[in-house]
Amino acid sequence: MSEPNLEDITDYNTLKGQKKRVVWAVILAGLIIGVVYVVSYNYFSNVTDSIHVEKNIGTIPVK
């Protein structure tokens, strides 16, 4: 098997066909996952029943 040449690559300058659809599907999936993450983080991060701690931790013991 030899190394690919630029002459052998059919879509060197532009993506066409199935490869273009795959690239756009990956970009779209990333955007959708990002939007779902931001919306769920903003919706579920409203913590109203948190416990306030007065005592500060001075040092952490290392074993």
Side-chain angles (χ1 to χ4, degrees):
M1 197 167 180
S2 65
E3 294 183 20
N5 297 326
L6 292 179
E7 293 83 19
D8 296 337
I9 301 174
T10 58
D11 59 345
Y12 178 71
N13 291 327
T14 60
L15 291 175
K16 295 179 183 175
Q18 183 65 25
K19 289 183 182 181
K20 190 172 189 175
R21 284 192 289 270
V22 169
V23 169
W24 281 110
V26 169
I27 292 171
L28 185 63
L31 289 173
I32 290 172
I33 290 171
V35 168
V36 168
Y37 174 77
V38 168
V39 168
S40 63
Y41 179 79
N42 289 331
Y43 182 74
F44 292 112
S45 68
N46 296 332
V47 178
T48 58
D49 61 344
S50 62
I51 300 172
H52 182 68
V53 178
E54 302 263 340
K55 184 178 177 183
N56 291 333
I57 299 174
T59 59
I60 299 173
V62 179
K63 292 185 179 186

